[in-house]
Amino acid sequence: PGITKEQRLGVENLMKKAFANLEGDLAGTYFPLTGMNEAVRQQLVDDHFLFVSGDPNLKVAGMERDWPEGRGIFHNKDKTFLTWVNEEDQLRIISMQKGGDVRAVFDRLARGIKAVGDSVKAESGKDFMLDPKYGYIHSCPTNLGTGMRASVHIDLPGYTKLGLPVLQARCEEFTPPAPGGTRGESGGQTGVTYDISNKHRLGYSEVELVQKMIDGVNMLYKEDVALCQAHGI
């Protein structure tokens, strides 16, 4: 939150060079928010790829100063590997794809984090700020630790019939997964589709968090099938 305009622009310029070094399926294009074509911007937002301004919490914390200067998004050709620059944190590295192959998504994320880190190191001589015990440093305290949010969009018509409070209470019973909106971590919920993600970032490894999310999603799906049968959905 205390970053200056000059520092933010410095991070963006560094990342432009770092992104240019990515190869293979990670290679892609960086799109700065400043001067972005409106049609391109809206398409990225509609595809759930691009962050938007206006979050009251970020505004109060001073996170949207000089908006949109120094901010942008990088994505590869297939839009399965993305990096947000100077949104809430200096970098938010994202791996995503349709379907249920979580292992492929996690593999791409691991490769992407290493590739971006290596490229930043080559360009600036600096490493990510990573403490072996406490993890990464983040703007938001809820992300301290791994900083990793693993999520799946899943249709739960049975739980929708019972209402969101019932689904939230069920998730609280086994703690790790947390239901959210399909328009991002704090976005709204759409129809019968929910964003199910790990609740914790701290105290678990990345592999453990992904497994907890998978176990939670599998359990919710099994229970939802039973609810659909019971309610004739």
Side-chain angles (χ1 to χ4, degrees), residues 109-156:
L109 178 66
R111 290 189 294 109
I113 291 173
K114 185 179 186 307
V116 171
D118 289 347
S119 188
V120 168
K121 176 81 169 180
E123 290 292 337
S124 68
K126 297 178 181 178
D127 294 302
F128 289 143
M129 295 181 72
L130 174 62
D131 184 280
K133 180 177 181 181
Y134 298 110
Y136 294 96
I137 295 175
H138 297 272
S139 296
C140 181
T142 62
N143 282 326
L144 290 176
T146 61
M148 190 182 74
R149 178 176 182 268
S151 69
V152 169
H153 284 187
I154 182 173
D155 289 347
L156 299 172

Side-chain angles (χ1 to χ4, degrees), residues 155-172:
D155 289 347
L156 299 172
Y159 270 108
T160 301
K161 176 82 173 176
L162 297 182
L164 181 58
V166 176
L167 174 59
Q168 291 173 326
R170 182 67 184 106
C171 288
E172 284 296 329

Side-chain angles (χ1 to χ4, degrees), residues 51-232:
F51 51 91
V52 294
S53 63
D55 187 302
N57 294 318
L58 296 185
K59 282 187 172 181
V60 168
M63 299 292 291
E64 294 196 358
R65 298 189 314 278
D66 309 307
W67 186 278
E69 199 165 7
R71 282 92 168 176
I73 178 176
F74 167 89
H75 66 72
N76 65 348
K77 182 167 67 79
D78 297 328
K79 294 183 178 178
T80 56
F81 179 69
L82 307 90
T83 302
W84 293 355
V85 177
N86 288 325
E87 178 244 4
E88 185 175 319
D89 292 303
Q90 290 180 340
L91 295 181
R92 182 169 294 192
I93 301 173
I94 304 165
S95 176
M96 62 193 298
Q97 69 186 49
K98 293 184 178 181
D101 194 348
V102 177
R103 183 170 182 173
V105 176
F106 187 75
D107 171 74
R108 188 187 309 110
L109 178 66
R111 290 189 294 109
I113 291 173
K114 185 179 186 307
V116 171
D118 289 347
S119 188
V120 168
K121 176 81 169 180
E123 290 292 337
S124 68
K126 297 178 181 178
D127 294 302
F128 289 143
M129 295 181 72
L130 174 62
D131 184 280
K133 180 177 181 181
Y134 298 110
Y136 294 96
I137 295 175
H138 297 272
S139 296
C140 181
T142 62
N143 282 326
L144 290 176
T146 61
M148 190 182 74
R149 178 176 182 268
S151 69
V152 169
H153 284 187
I154 182 173
D155 289 347
L156 299 172
Y159 270 108
T160 301
K161 176 82 173 176
L162 297 182
L164 181 58
V166 176
L167 174 59
Q168 291 173 326
R170 182 67 184 106
C171 288
E172 284 296 329
E173 290 176 8
F174 52 89
T175 305
T182 53
R183 294 195 290 273
E185 197 166 2
S186 56
Q189 181 260 333
T190 308
V192 299
T193 306
Y194 298 85
D195 183 318
I196 305 297
S197 66
N198 56 294
K199 188 174 183 179
H200 298 299
R201 312 285 194 268
L202 186 64
Y204 300 89
S205 71
E206 287 84 350
V207 173
E208 287 175 323
L209 291 176
V210 170
Q211 190 58 55
K212 286 175 183 292
M213 184 273 294
I214 292 172
D215 293 343
V217 168
N218 287 338
M219 189 189 71
L220 288 174
Y221 174 76
K222 185 177 180 180
E223 292 176 353
D224 197 76
V225 170
L227 287 171
C228 287
Q229 292 173 343
H231 292 280

Side-chain angles (χ1 to χ4, degrees), residues 17-79:
K17 297 175 184 175
F19 290 140
N21 296 330
L22 299 183
E23 300 176 341
D25 65 325
L26 301 178
T29 306
Y30 177 71
F31 299 90
L33 255 63
T34 303
M36 180 180 286
N37 179 278
E38 177 57 27
V40 172
R41 190 197 71 81
Q42 192 58 54
Q43 186 61 55
L44 288 170
V45 171
D46 292 344
D47 289 340
H48 309 294
F49 294 147
L50 186 61
F51 51 91
V52 294
S53 63
D55 187 302
N57 294 318
L58 296 185
K59 282 187 172 181
V60 168
M63 299 292 291
E64 294 196 358
R65 298 189 314 278
D66 309 307
W67 186 278
E69 199 165 7
R71 282 92 168 176
I73 178 176
F74 167 89
H75 66 72
N76 65 348
K77 182 167 67 79
D78 297 328
K79 294 183 178 178

